[in-house]
Amino acid sequence: MRQGLSEELITRVLGAAPKYTIAELEEKFPARNLPDGAFVTRFAPSPTGMMHLGGLYGALIDYKLAQQSGGVFMLRIEDTDTKREVADAVKIIVSSMDRFGLKYNNDDAYGPYYQSRRKDIYHSVVADLLRRGLAYPCFLTADDMEKIRAEQKAAGFPTGIYGEFARDRNLTEEEIAAHLDAGEVPTIRLYSMGDPSRRIFCKDAVRGSVGFPENNEDLVLIKSNDGLPTYHFAHLVDDHFMRTTHVIRGEEWLPSLPLHVALFRMMDWAAPLYIHTSTIDKIDDETGKQRKLSKRKDPEANVEYFLRDGWPTESVLEYLFNIAASGYEEAKNKGAVKSVWEYEMRPKKIPMSGALFDMKKLEWWAKEFIGALPVPELVARVTQWANEYGDDNNKMQVADRDYLTAVLSIERDNPKRVRKDFITWRQTLENVAFFWDALFVPNTEFEYNRDALREFLAVYNASDDKDAWWSKIVAIAEKLGIKNGDVAMSLRVALSGRTNTPDLYSIINVLGENRVRQRIGDILK
């Protein structure tokens, strides 16, 4: 440990006197008044682009653990990397959270929840470290550090600012003042006392105790270009003063665990419990090997993909939730729970290895969800999607709500035989497109029994009930010496353009007499 800096020099290094003492911060952000065992979690994305499916997976776990324990779930925007920040990224994050029903509780008493607005808090904590000799101002330039890296590589040493390569870690106050007088703006680095030959043991709530070499690198705590903290330092300060109890994050952060635990111990603060979740993987089409979902290669890595394609958000959540809580599917199939919010997630059962993203399995969840929707809700959801994301044809399909309702009501009146051919809102409208004349595509390849079609037109009565209608189909088949199914198939294809459809009688009723006669007549021309 080096000698701490004077208050005057700390003020010069930071550009202003620290606003708070540690004691004042502890009083400003007191322990939360919550039931025993309540989880305080946070989803903490960086506004650097799209909302990743892996982020949604982590946020779901965060929210669920807080929700079921009577705790608090926060949304914290980690916007300290100003170079990579993307316009409207925060809006995308907030919208995604809202659409998937992940309601956060950002209590103003523990905010602000944008890291860029918390500079006074970070500077007050780093001032304490400077006083105690646990941090120091560093004036190394980018060129200086590049020379150090080259020297380390040539000698076969690990790269980084540590030990003898940390040039400024023992500058005197006079030397620091001289750098400041010359107009140099320092970063503030951790004065590490770690030794990689020793191991630090940290607890992961799922993996148990994990050992790592101690950190000996003098990592940057506060950047020189904007005075904002690095991820590691902001993580320490925010999770302590927001009173986070559990940090749920991807397993790629596991190597950072010893550093973060060491920082909490340095401050004599209790570290939150960490849960490092599995990545969401897929099988690479080119290599055949399992890899992490890539935002560059995989459209399904982007949460917006599911919204634009019209996947029910509930089914996406159920699919992701079943990865994290594998017993959920069985419990739902048995009728023990109706949704993810009724099923208890157990942290120790969250998987540790990469879970394969299976689009077919997601389709199953979507079919199950849509199949259970009452018709008015199905109509409302399809209409909402079409008006927001659909093309002109989709908007045309939902313009007449009564007609759309009649179309989507087919084969949905028997709870024992739930129709499960709808997957997304987009696919639902594609599935029933033949009901609209502008989208109907006649099948010119099918070999129609034209005699059967003529006979049907001769006896067709739009007021026939199903029994009367079917009796006429049977009579036509007997007259022509063909099977009942042959008559029905010619009708089916003439009216829908397809060989596989829902109940033919229902289709005829919904299409109405004019459309039925027009479409059959067109085939017979």
Side-chain angles (χ1 to χ4, degrees):
M1 186 185 302
R2 56 166 287 141
Q3 183 176 353
L5 301 186
S6 66
E7 290 300 319
E8 180 182 357
L9 196 55
I10 288 172
T11 297
R12 289 196 64 192
V13 167
L14 295 177
K19 187 173 182 178
Y20 308 103
T21 64
I22 297 297
E24 288 170 338
L25 287 172
E26 296 287 359
E27 184 177 354
K28 180 177 175 63
F29 304 110
R32 293 176 181 267
N33 183 21
L34 295 170
D36 290 342
F39 283 49
V40 179
T41 63
R42 82 302 194 271
F43 176 48
S46 298
T48 53
M50 70 182 200
M51 178 79 160
H52 195 283
L53 187 67
L56 181 64
Y57 175 68
L60 171 60
I61 297 173
D62 282 316
Y63 177 71
K64 176 59 180 171
L65 291 176
Q67 177 252 353
Q68 72 183 25
S69 65
V72 173
F73 168 59
M74 301 173 285
L75 172 63
R76 186 170 77 215
I77 303 299
E78 300 198 338
D79 58 344
T80 60
D81 191 348
T82 52
K83 292 180 180 178
R84 295 177 58 226
E85 189 167 337
V86 174
D88 292 333
V90 173
K91 188 183 297 183
I92 291 170
I93 293 166
V94 171
S95 173
S96 297
M97 299 289 283
D98 180 60
R99 287 173 180 266
F100 284 88
L102 304 181
K103 297 178 175 60
Y104 50 90
N105 180 15
N106 283 6
D107 186 339
D108 289 343
Y110 292 89
Y113 290 88
Y114 287 74
Q115 289 183 333
S116 61
R117 302 174 191 172
R118 297 173 62 84
K119 185 184 288 190
D120 286 342
I121 300 171
Y122 304 127
H123 281 206
S124 297
V125 176
V126 88
D128 179 74
L129 297 177
L130 290 168
R131 288 186 197 102
R132 294 193 284 146
L134 296 173
Y136 65 93
C138 174
F139 298 92
L140 289 172
T141 65
D143 287 342
D144 292 333
M145 289 187 286
E146 186 54 45
K147 290 176 183 176
I148 290 172
R149 276 192 289 269
E151 181 183 342
Q152 290 168 332
K153 288 180 179 178
F157 294 145
T159 59
I161 305 302
Y162 61 89
E164 64 187 283
F165 300 106
R167 185 196 70 187
D168 294 352
R169 76 191 319 245
N170 292 310
L171 290 177
T172 64
E173 289 214 350
E174 290 75 17
E175 290 170 324
I176 293 170
H179 280 287
L180 295 173
D181 289 341
E184 297 177 47
V185 180
T187 59
I188 300 177
R189 289 184 179 271
L190 170 71
Y191 192 95
S192 176
M193 293 177 287
D195 180 349
S197 67
R198 300 195 301 259
R199 293 180 72 77
I200 180 172
F201 288 89
C202 315
K203 185 177 181 181
D204 179 286
V206 177
R207 291 169 169 80
S209 183
V210 188
F212 299 89
E214 289 183 350
N215 168 71
N216 71 328
E217 189 171 352
D218 290 359
L219 294 165
V220 173
L221 303 177
I222 300 292
K223 297 175 289 182
S224 60
N225 61 327
D226 54 17
L228 290 173
T230 57
Y231 168 80
H232 301 295
F233 188 56
H235 161 90
L236 164 78
V237 174
D238 292 342
D239 282 331
H240 177 69
F241 288 117
M242 291 181 179
R243 306 304 177 180
T244 305
T245 63
H246 292 75
V247 172
I248 296 97
R249 59 188 183 180
E251 64 183 353
E252 66 269 21
W253 287 106
L254 192 58
S256 297
L257 182 57
L259 169 62
H260 294 159
V261 170
L263 290 174
F264 275 98
R265 291 177 183 175
M266 175 186 69
M267 293 299 301
D268 198 27
W269 293 342
L273 275 175
Y274 290 85
I275 299 174
H276 292 87
T277 63
S278 63
T279 56
I280 305 294
D281 296 351
K282 71 175 293 183
I283 300 298
D284 190 277
D285 293 334
E286 296 178 2
T287 66
K289 296 181 179 179
Q290 187 168 331
R291 62 166 174 79
K292 184 178 177 181
L293 269 183
S294 167
K295 62 183 180 181
R296 292 189 303 275
K297 296 181 180 180
D298 306 312
E300 65 269 31
N302 188 346
V303 169
E304 183 70 11
Y305 164 84
F306 297 96
L307 298 174
R308 290 194 174 279
D309 220 38
W311 290 84
T313 54
E314 294 88 347
S315 64
V316 176
L317 281 185
E318 285 194 300
Y319 173 72
L320 294 175
F321 186 80
N322 199 55
I323 294 175
S326 58
Y328 171 66
E329 181 180 344
E330 181 180 0
K332 187 173 183 185
N333 287 340
K334 289 181 177 179
V337 296
K338 293 182 180 179
S339 74
V340 298
W341 312 123
E342 296 178 5
Y343 186 84
E344 183 179 1
M345 174 181 282
R346 298 181 181 179
K348 289 190 176 181
K349 291 194 173 183
I350 296 173
M352 291 183 288
S353 57
L356 274 177
F357 183 79
D358 183 348
M359 189 64 82
K360 289 296 181 184
K361 188 63 177 180
L362 176 57
E363 288 180 3
W364 180 85
W365 281 105
K367 288 178 181 179
E368 291 291 314
F369 176 79
I370 296 178
L373 279 182
V375 173
E377 178 67 12
L378 174 59
V379 171
R381 298 289 287 271
V382 168
T383 301
Q384 181 182 7
W385 175 83
N387 286 329
E388 182 171 5
Y389 292 110
D391 59 21
D392 289 342
N393 286 332
N394 298 141
K395 291 179 172 63
M396 177 270 295
Q397 286 178 275
V398 303
D400 185 338
R401 196 178 189 89
D402 290 339
Y403 187 62
L404 178 64
T405 299
V407 169
L408 296 181
S409 295
I410 294 176
E411 288 189 353
R412 294 185 71 88
D413 56 353
N414 185 350
K416 294 182 179 180
R417 291 182 56 194
V418 179
R419 183 176 173 185
K420 295 181 180 178
D421 55 342
F422 297 150
I423 301 171
T424 69
W425 314 131
R426 182 193 300 279
Q427 179 267 347
T428 297
L429 289 176
E430 290 173 352
N431 187 292
V432 298
F434 67 86
F435 281 96
W436 286 265
D437 292 336
L439 304 179
F440 172 61
V441 180
N443 190 327
T444 58
E445 304 296 323
F446 184 77
E447 294 185 9
Y448 297 96
N449 188 313
R450 296 174 185 275
D451 289 336
L453 294 178
R454 290 189 188 94
E455 291 290 339
F456 178 79
L457 281 184
V459 298
Y460 170 52
N461 186 333
S463 64
D464 284 344
D465 63 19
K466 192 167 188 177
D467 289 339
W469 168 80
W470 183 245
S471 294
K472 291 179 179 179
I473 298 296
V474 173
I476 293 169
E478 289 177 353
K479 180 178 180 179
L480 298 178
I482 61 177
K483 295 178 181 179
N484 300 338
D486 293 336
V487 179
M489 183 57 75
S490 282
L491 277 175
R492 187 183 310 277
V493 179
L495 296 175
S496 70
R498 304 173 185 181
T499 57
N500 185 21
T501 70
D503 179 62
L504 178 57
Y505 175 75
S506 298
I507 289 174
I508 290 173
N509 274 352
V510 172
L511 283 174
E513 184 171 1
N514 290 341
R515 284 194 184 92
V516 169
R517 292 190 180 279
Q518 178 68 49
R519 291 186 185 184
I520 294 176
D522 287 344
I523 297 296
L524 296 176
K525 286 180 181 177

